[in-house]
Amino acid sequence: MSELWNPKKVLITGAAGTIGSVLREGLKGKYETLALSDIKPLGEAAPGEEIFENADIRDLDATAATMEGVDCVVHLAGIPVEDEWEKILPMNLIGCYNVFEAARRAGVKRVVFASSNHAVGYYRRAGVIDTDVQPRPDSRYGVSKVYGEALGRLYADKHGMAVSCLRIGSFQPKPQDLRQLMTWISHSDTVHLIERCIDHPDYHFVAVYGVSNNTRNKWDNSKVDWLGYRPRDNAEDYAVELYAKEDTEHPIAKPFHGGMFCPMEFSGDLNKID
Ligand code: 15L
């Protein structure tokens, strides 16, 4: 990117979703145009907003129709949890491809992709992992996020798009269980992280953990410090409250960063997951 980066139009896919609705509010008025797409209702367009309802990412033409004049896409749409392959495939693989490809065809310069900690969920919590670790998905959902990160690499290297992949932890108004003392990301830290990925003047490709400034954080973002992500919230503020609750975490969830998706359909050998 040689010319000065000054994004005027930002598109959020999945803008009616949990993260999308918070981001819509958080970015209000920040860019000349905030375009919002989803297959779910998005309500009335506020000033500066452009709405694309029934914009199904499973359909390349419908996705292409949302990209006109867009500088940066924040791609949040997709199945947000472990699910059947029949649902993950069209939404998280075909849909993700359609978003990158439609963006490329429209000359979009930057894509911010909502990846997930589940792309590396089978690493053990006993250790810290950094942004360079090999993929280690804990679910079909996690595999779909590894695939999205790989697509991001491809579009960065082959087509010169700037791509950021956010390995989002537990996006909640406040942490819900003991695992989230490590993995929680607050609403305002999420908006701040995405803003950094949209606004940073120049990068090629980056994978970054979406996690708050938690005392017990085990995801090391030090290699991507240049991005300027400075989270402020800390799950530890809720520790007493969380320790007072019953710990119901599954024994096969407990050793791993990914938690609850790890025991699902498990038929492996725990001793071999080093
Ligand atoms: C995610 O990626 C999911 O979207 C969410 O449902 C949670 O499972 C979260 O990660 C988490 O790991 O807590």
Side-chain angles (χ1 to χ4, degrees):
M1 232 167 283
S2 46
E3 76 271 32
L4 211 59
W5 174 242
N6 179 22
K8 292 191 164 60
K9 183 169 180 182
V10 173
L11 166 70
I12 305 174
T13 73
T18 321
I19 300 181
S21 329
V22 169
L23 191 63
R24 178 182 185 178
E25 201 49 44
L27 297 185
K28 200 168 260 174
K30 219 197 140 190
Y31 304 99
E32 222 166 84
T33 310
L34 194 60
L36 307 163
S37 73
D38 211 302
I39 45 175
K40 294 191 206 128
L42 284 154
E44 289 286 299
E49 285 183 349
E50 195 178 326
I51 301 261
F52 295 97
E53 267 175 13
N54 304 315
D56 193 337
I57 57 166
R58 291 168 292 190
D59 177 339
L60 181 57
D61 291 337
T63 308
T66 65
M67 296 280 172
E68 208 185 299
V70 169
D71 296 302
C72 177
V73 176
V74 181
H75 177 38
L76 305 178
I79 303 285
V81 287
E82 176 60 330
D83 214 322
E84 296 157 14
W85 176 240
E86 289 67 25
K87 291 191 184 147
I88 297 279
L89 172 66
M91 276 295 197
N92 290 17
L93 282 86
I94 296 172
C96 188
Y97 172 80
N98 287 344
V99 169
F100 274 102
E101 180 55 17
R104 181 192 70 79
R105 291 185 192 175
V108 173
K109 297 266 185 312
R110 193 174 284 205
V111 173
V112 180
F113 168 60
S115 180
S116 166
N117 73 91
H118 296 284
V120 290
Y122 268 131
Y123 281 101
R124 286 192 177 262
R125 277 182 211 179
V128 170
I129 50 175
D130 72 12
T131 45
D132 285 347
V133 292
Q134 293 281 320
R136 202 156 192 183
D138 57 24
S139 48
R140 289 177 287 275
Y141 168 71
V143 169
S144 76
K145 296 303 183 181
V146 173
Y147 163 87
E149 292 193 13
L151 268 182
R153 270 271 180 205
L154 176 71
Y155 278 76
D157 288 343
K158 196 176 276 283
H159 303 298
M161 212 179 246
V163 177
S164 42
C165 298
L166 318 180
R167 292 183 186 154
I168 300 170
S170 307
F171 175 84
Q172 294 286 345
K174 60 182 205 166
Q176 304 294 308
D177 55 33
L178 292 178
R179 169 176 170 267
Q180 293 184 15
L181 288 172
M182 300 182 304
T183 62
W184 182 57
I185 182 163
S186 69
H187 287 186
S188 68
D189 284 339
T190 303
V191 172
H192 161 56
L193 173 59
I194 295 175
E195 276 182 316
R196 287 314 304 147
C197 294
I198 299 171
D199 295 343
H200 187 282
D202 191 14
Y203 59 83
H204 181 62
F205 177 88
V206 61
V208 54
Y209 291 101
V211 65
S212 276
N213 186 31
N214 304 331
T215 305
R216 301 178 204 220
N217 173 35
K218 294 264 181 103
W219 298 332
D220 176 6
N221 272 332
S222 58
K223 286 180 177 154
V224 296
D225 196 55
W226 52 264
L227 190 60
Y229 173 51
R230 304 285 177 263
R232 289 162 51 157
D233 295 314
N234 188 342
E236 209 60 25
D237 295 345
Y238 303 90
V240 173
E241 198 179 302
L242 292 171
Y243 272 103
K245 292 203 325 202
E246 192 193 347
D247 180 5
T248 55
E249 197 170 28
H250 192 287
I252 300 178
K254 230 183 231 313
F256 303 113
H257 286 275
M260 64 294 207
F261 298 164
C262 297
M264 290 177 175
E265 303 166 48
F266 188 81
S267 58
D269 180 347
L270 277 184
N271 296 320
K272 289 195 169 148
I273 313 176
D274 55 3

